């Protein structure tokens, strides 16, 4: 029961190092842990490793097993299959030259090495719910055994970086070998058939090209703690297990079948919503990688969404935006229900947390839109399930949220006399354009932001709908929505034929051409009236299409603007300075396509805007969608190589645009 191999690369890609190191892979375990690396096998990020364990699920992510560098002895020849770039720029060994093919089986990355007439395959996956990674070797073809030598490189540090030069202790067990970096550290347990030999050597100056590009440190040291020697007969498979569990399952074949069954079930559930399109099935598997358990303080199990791999945790805004696409579009409404209930526990003064910090400190509430996106998640869930019990449970909390916004809450968030929602104060960033470097808020957007008020209008519409469903009086919310709709007319910028980005900011009305206005067209129309007339909507869509649309998403600022930055890179100041000043965001392409359909009524034409993102499944993190791209052609992928809302919005909108 193998998931169809949608994504496959041959020697033309695998043997070309710039291509093979640009393409990355990702596996995850549903509790925040993950593994990632490059097709070529060399490290380019701090975040690459076979086991990045979530020691405080879903956070506390710690790099433990970095990589296994394999050497195969076959037919009197020696083949070094590992690949590393060193501080002097040299590549040694160059194992990618033996890589005949790379593919995904569902989410399982598979490498096929050609060693004379032998074919050696390697698969990597994680056990769901455990910090356990499996590395399985199979000799599918050959006329003699292969002797494999696996050098294990270890570390014990936060996944963001910083080598730990610890006092490692290594001791053999009956089943393998255990290692601990220092007193109090969580042990790493390696299991597998063969002869384990402890080592004690640090390898210095692994060169990390992407970290060099990002200005976040270009060199790293790793501990070569142990070597495993094993013999693989033709037709045989052997599995190495890396785990923090003392009783991890060591039967590699059984673990592989569990993962395949799990992924088959995911695809079967998604098929009802998305059909038989294999590209969408692949995206449904990618969607699952972002869904994580979050244990709650009372011992019950909550769920959340990791915003992006490799570095983001669970953010309230990203969770609320991603929920419909990752759960409802993939046929998993019970997960949507749990996530909605989980985050409802954290409502405070009418707001939802923006961030759960790794350190375990109190959540941050510095977001105006996370709570408003939550309403859209509730609406999508109710429309998809008709679950009136959950609506009855959440409705009092949603009423309280409305009350807080009407009387005012943190950061000057409150409804003004014109019915529009104002938010912001000096030194804070509250919208999704939230880059801040020390005291510099790059895009403050203080005032009445266009997408915030589109969201506010729709939240009021959601309350009208829910009140009616519960048999409650909806008139107050209808009247508020009507006032907001009338006030929204102020956003129209007649000279440009589009909407102001922000009204009533400290500098006045901001006519910067940004993509945020697209939500005035794409959000559900919960009330009979829309926010824009058909003519204005057509004009807005045309302007956004001409100035902001790219193959992979919408630019965050028009190239005609003096503040436009067309390339994303460099140190933190350069990167964050460009983040929302022209960088392309792929999650916005779905709302654009949906807006296009609402204006022009042609589903096939609207879907055509999304086609390039399916091509992108073969780039970046293979099988997933990147966070951002350069504003300038050829729109190189940047940022997180797998982003929750990028995958989610493509799934959600494709589900809505099905024939």
């Amino acid at each position: 029961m193998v998931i169809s191999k949608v994504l496959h690369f041959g020697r033309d890609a695998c043997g070309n190092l710039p291509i093979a190191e640009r393409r990355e892979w990702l596996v995850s375990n549903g509790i925040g842990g993950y593994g990632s690396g490059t097709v070529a096998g060399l490290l380019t990020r701090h975040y690459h490793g076979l086991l990045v364990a979530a020691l405080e699920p879903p956070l506390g992510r710690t790099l433990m097993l970095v990589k296994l560098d394999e050497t195969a002895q076959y037919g009197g020849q020696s083949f070094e299959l590992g690949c590393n770039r060193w501080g002097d720029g040299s590549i040694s060994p160059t194992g990618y030259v033996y890589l005949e093919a790379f593919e995904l089986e569902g989410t399982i990355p598979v490498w096929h090495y050609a060693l004379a007439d032998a074919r050696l395959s390697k698969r990597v996956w994680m056990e769901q719910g455990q910090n356990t990674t499996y590395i399985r070797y199979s000799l599918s073809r050959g006329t003699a055994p292969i002797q494999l030598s696996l050098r294990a490189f270890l570390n014990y540090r936060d996944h963001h970086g910083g080598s730990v030069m610890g006092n490692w202790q290594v001791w053999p067990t009956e089943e393998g070998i255990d290692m601990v970096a220092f007193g109090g550290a969580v042990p790493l347990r390696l299991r597998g058939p063969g002869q384990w030999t402890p080592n004690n050597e640090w390898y210095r100056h692994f060169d990390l090209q992407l970290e060099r590009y990002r200005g976040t440190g270009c060199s790293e040291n790793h501990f070569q703690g142990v070597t495993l020697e094993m013999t693989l007969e033709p037709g045989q498979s052997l599995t190495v297990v890396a785990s923090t569990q003392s009783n991890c399952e060591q039967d590699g074949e059984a673990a592989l079948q569990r993962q395949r069954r799990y992924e088959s079930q995911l695809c079967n559930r998604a098929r009802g919503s998305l059909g038989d399109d294999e590209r969408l099935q692949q995206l449904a598997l990618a969607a699952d990688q972002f869904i994580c358990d979050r244990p709650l303080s009372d011992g019950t199990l909550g769920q959340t969404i990791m915003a992006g791999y490799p570095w983001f945790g669970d953010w309230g805004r990203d969770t609320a935006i991603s929920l419909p696409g990752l759960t409802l579009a993939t046929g998993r409404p019970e997960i949507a229900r749990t996530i909605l209930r989980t985050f409802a526990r954290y409502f405070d003064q009418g707001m939802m947390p923006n961030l759960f910090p790794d350190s375990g400190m109190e959540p941050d509430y510095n977001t105006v839109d996370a709570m408003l996106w939550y309403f859209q998640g509730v609406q999508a869930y109710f429309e998809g399930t008709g679950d009136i019990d959950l609506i009855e449970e959440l409705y009092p909390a949603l009423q309280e949220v409305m009350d807080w916004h009407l009387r005012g809450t943190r950061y000057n968030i409150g409804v003004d006399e014109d019915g529009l929602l104002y938010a912001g104060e000096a030194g804070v960033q509250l919208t999704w354009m939230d880059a801040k470097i020390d005291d510099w808020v790059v895009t403050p957007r203080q005032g009445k932001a266009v997408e915030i008020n589109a969201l506010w209008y729709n939240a009021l519409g959601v309350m009208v709908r829910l009140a009616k469903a519960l048999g409650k009086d909806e008139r107050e919310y209808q009247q508020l929505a009507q006032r907001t709709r009338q006030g929204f007319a102020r956003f129209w910028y007649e000279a440009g034929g589009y909407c102001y980005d922000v009204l009533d900011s400290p500098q006045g009305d901001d006519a910067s051409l940004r993509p945020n206005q697209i939500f005035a067209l794409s959000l559900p129309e919960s009330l009979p009236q829309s926010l824009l007339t058909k003519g204005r909507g057509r004009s807005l869509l045309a302007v956004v299409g001409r100035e902001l649309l790219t193959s992979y998403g919408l630019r965050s600022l028009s190239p005609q603007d003096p503040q436009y930055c067309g390339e994303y890179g460099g140190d933190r100041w350069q990167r964050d300075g460009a983040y929302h000043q022209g960088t392309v965001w792929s999650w916005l392409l779905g709302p654009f396509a949906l807006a296009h359909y609402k204006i022009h009524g042609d589903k096939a034409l609207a879907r055509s805007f999304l086609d390039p993102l399916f091509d992108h499944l073969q780039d970046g993190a293979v099988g997933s969608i990147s966070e951002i791209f350069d504003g300038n052609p050829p729109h190189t992928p940047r940022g997180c190589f797998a982003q929750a809302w990028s995958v989610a919005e493509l799934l959600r909108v494709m589900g809505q645009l099905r024939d």
Side-chain angles (χ1 to χ4, degrees):
M1 186 165 41
V2 179
I3 304 295
S4 179
K5 299 169 185 175
V6 179
L7 300 165
H8 178 98
F9 304 94
R11 273 197 176 276
D12 56 334
C14 297
N16 186 322
L17 186 58
I19 295 176
E21 70 173 313
R22 168 167 159 164
R23 283 161 174 78
E24 301 177 77
W25 55 270
L26 171 70
V27 295
S28 64
N29 64 1
I31 58 172
Y34 67 92
S36 69
T38 65
V39 168
L42 55 75
L43 307 171
T44 62
R45 300 182 188 269
H46 293 307
Y47 306 91
H48 284 161
L50 289 169
L51 175 58
V52 180
L55 300 182
E56 299 174 10
L59 303 175
R61 290 166 291 177
T62 302
L63 176 65
M64 300 187 75
L65 177 61
V66 181
K67 63 185 314 209
L68 296 175
D69 272 1
E70 305 94 349
T71 299
Q73 304 290 336
Y74 177 75
Q77 300 183 65
S78 181
F79 302 88
E80 289 191 272
L81 306 183
C83 186
N84 297 301
R85 177 182 284 111
W86 304 100
D88 62 2
S90 63
I91 308 291
S92 177
T94 57
Y96 69 93
V97 301
Y98 301 112
L99 189 54
E100 188 172 68
F102 173 88
E103 62 194 4
L104 287 190
E105 291 178 354
T107 65
I108 300 173
V110 187
W111 294 259
H112 298 293
Y113 293 95
L115 313 177
D117 64 342
R119 195 184 211 213
L120 178 69
S121 300
K122 178 175 72 172
R123 289 170 172 80
V124 175
W125 71 96
M126 297 189 81
E127 184 76 19
Q128 296 302 305
Q130 289 186 15
N131 288 312
T132 301
T133 298
Y134 292 91
I135 307 99
R136 185 166 174 83
Y137 297 92
S138 303
L139 184 56
S140 60
R141 188 179 71 202
T143 54
I146 279 182
Q147 281 75 46
L148 271 180
S149 175
L150 310 178
R151 291 188 300 161
F153 289 89
L154 319 171
N155 215 315
Y156 193 92
R157 60 153 175 81
D158 185 278
H159 70 147
H160 294 304
S163 295
V164 175
M165 304 289 281
N167 182 25
W168 283 81
Q169 297 180 33
V170 180
W171 63 94
T173 69
E174 291 184 2
E175 300 170 319
I177 202 159
D178 289 358
M179 289 154 285
V180 65
F182 49 83
V186 174
L188 172 64
R189 297 172 170 89
L190 294 182
R191 304 288 182 261
Q195 179 65 45
W196 294 92
T197 303
N199 305 120
N200 186 22
E201 185 175 3
W202 280 91
Y203 279 63
R204 292 170 170 80
H205 308 304
F206 286 87
D207 188 70
L208 307 177
Q209 271 206 344
L210 282 177
E211 301 301 340
R212 181 190 303 277
Y213 168 80
R214 288 167 45 82
T216 49
C218 60
S219 182
E220 185 135 69
N221 308 318
H222 296 301
F223 182 64
Q224 207 275 291
V226 65
T227 299
L228 171 63
E229 308 280 347
M230 62 186 189
T231 300
L232 198 58
E233 300 285 345
Q236 186 181 25
S237 296
L238 296 174
T239 305
V240 177
V241 187
S243 182
T244 62
Q245 306 280 133
S246 59
N247 58 344
C248 59
E249 169 71 65
Q250 296 181 53
D251 186 336
E253 179 62 27
L256 179 59
Q257 293 307 319
R258 278 197 304 276
Q259 182 66 16
R260 286 175 171 170
R261 285 194 298 271
Y262 177 74
E263 295 191 353
S264 292
Q265 291 165 2
L266 292 177
C267 288
N268 288 336
R269 296 192 68 173
R271 192 168 286 115
S273 302
L274 300 172
D276 294 322
D277 188 330
E278 288 188 334
R279 305 172 307 167
L280 294 176
Q281 297 294 312
Q282 191 70 56
L283 274 178
L285 296 179
D288 180 66
Q289 294 181 316
F290 300 101
I291 297 170
C292 290
D293 295 341
R294 172 172 272 283
L296 301 175
S297 57
D298 63 1
T300 59
L301 183 62
Q303 287 182 294
T304 188
I305 290 172
M306 306 303 280
Y309 292 99
W311 50 72
F312 286 139
D314 50 341
W315 292 63
R317 173 189 295 116
D318 299 64
T319 296
I321 292 173
S322 302
L323 181 145
L326 298 187
T327 64
L328 300 173
T330 58
R332 305 173 77 186
E334 74 285 354
I335 293 177
R337 189 181 204 273
T338 303
I339 292 173
L340 290 171
R341 297 186 75 210
T342 297
F343 275 82
R345 288 173 172 248
Y346 294 95
F347 291 175
D348 186 87
Q349 296 183 37
M351 299 177 71
M352 196 169 87
N354 189 33
L355 173 65
F356 291 96
D358 270 3
S359 61
M361 297 170 60
E362 289 299 310
D364 295 328
Y365 286 87
N366 57 331
T367 168
V368 60
D369 54 341
M371 189 69 251
L372 301 178
W373 281 111
Y374 183 93
F375 280 86
Q376 307 313 309
V378 171
Q379 177 181 355
Y381 175 80
F382 185 49
E383 288 180 349
T385 66
D387 183 356
I388 195 67
D389 291 337
L390 181 63
I391 300 307
E392 192 165 13
E393 176 186 330
L394 296 178
Y395 190 77
L398 298 179
Q399 281 185 304
E400 186 177 355
V401 168
M402 285 286 158
D403 291 343
W404 273 104
H405 281 71
L406 290 171
R407 67 175 179 259
T409 184
R410 299 177 179 92
Y411 304 116
N412 288 326
I413 297 173
V415 177
D416 206 347
E417 292 180 355
D418 56 6
L420 300 179
L421 192 63
Y422 185 98
E425 59 186 39
V428 298
Q429 69 286 17
L430 299 179
T431 73
W432 78 276
M433 291 186 163
D434 58 356
K436 182 178 181 181
I437 312 167
D438 297 332
D439 294 329
W440 176 35
V441 178
V442 182
T443 50
R445 305 186 72 227
Q446 180 180 342
K448 300 165 183 173
V450 63
E451 84 281 10
I452 300 305
N453 281 282
L455 284 163
W456 171 244
Y457 175 77
N458 272 270
L460 291 167
V462 171
M463 291 301 289
V464 169
R465 180 172 300 185
L466 300 184
K468 288 181 177 179
L470 294 171
K472 299 181 182 296
D473 189 349
E474 78 281 6
R475 287 174 296 178
E476 177 187 5
Y477 300 120
Q478 283 181 328
Q479 293 167 0
L480 289 168
Q482 178 65 17
R483 186 154 62 98
T484 300
R485 178 175 175 270
Q486 293 171 349
F488 197 88
R490 293 186 55 212
F491 278 102
W492 188 248
Y493 177 49
E494 186 66 39
Y498 59 89
C499 285
Y500 285 103
D501 189 58
V502 181
L503 297 177
D504 300 340
S505 80
Q507 291 75 40
D509 297 340
D510 182 2
S512 300
L513 179 53
R514 296 187 181 274
N516 305 301
Q517 58 194 298
I518 203 70
F519 294 108
L521 297 177
S522 68
L523 285 168
E525 295 177 5
S526 304
L527 297 169
Q529 303 90 351
S530 62
L531 289 172
L532 296 171
T533 65
K534 195 84 168 183
R536 287 182 173 181
R538 190 180 294 267
S539 173
L540 182 159
L541 189 69
V543 172
V544 169
R546 288 194 301 266
E547 296 284 340
L548 304 181
L549 179 66
T550 73
S551 298
Y552 297 127
L554 300 184
R555 293 185 179 97
S556 44
L557 184 64
S558 168
Q560 309 306 318
D561 194 290
Q563 302 299 316
Y564 173 78
C565 296
E567 294 185 4
Y568 176 89
D571 62 21
R572 177 172 166 241
W573 281 80
Q574 293 170 304
R575 284 184 285 112
D576 285 356
Y579 206 32
H580 300 108
Q581 297 289 67
T583 296
V584 170
W585 290 78
S586 51
W587 78 283
L588 298 172
L589 195 57
F592 178 86
L594 197 56
H596 194 280
Y597 168 65
K598 287 187 174 184
I599 293 296
H600 297 288
D602 188 330
K603 286 187 176 180
L605 187 59
R607 288 196 303 268
S608 71
F609 291 105
L610 304 176
D611 287 341
L613 283 182
F614 289 107
D615 295 333
H616 176 65
L617 291 176
Q618 301 181 75
D619 199 3
V622 178
S624 198
I625 306 291
S626 296
E627 176 192 16
I628 53 176
F629 300 77
D630 282 343
N632 291 343
H635 309 301
T636 302
R638 307 292 189 190
C640 281
F641 55 57
Q643 188 79 358
W645 60 19
S646 302
V647 172
E649 283 298 87
L650 182 55
L651 282 167
R652 180 184 70 89
V653 174
M654 283 296 294
Q656 292 192 31
L657 294 179
R658 286 182 66 192
D659 288 324

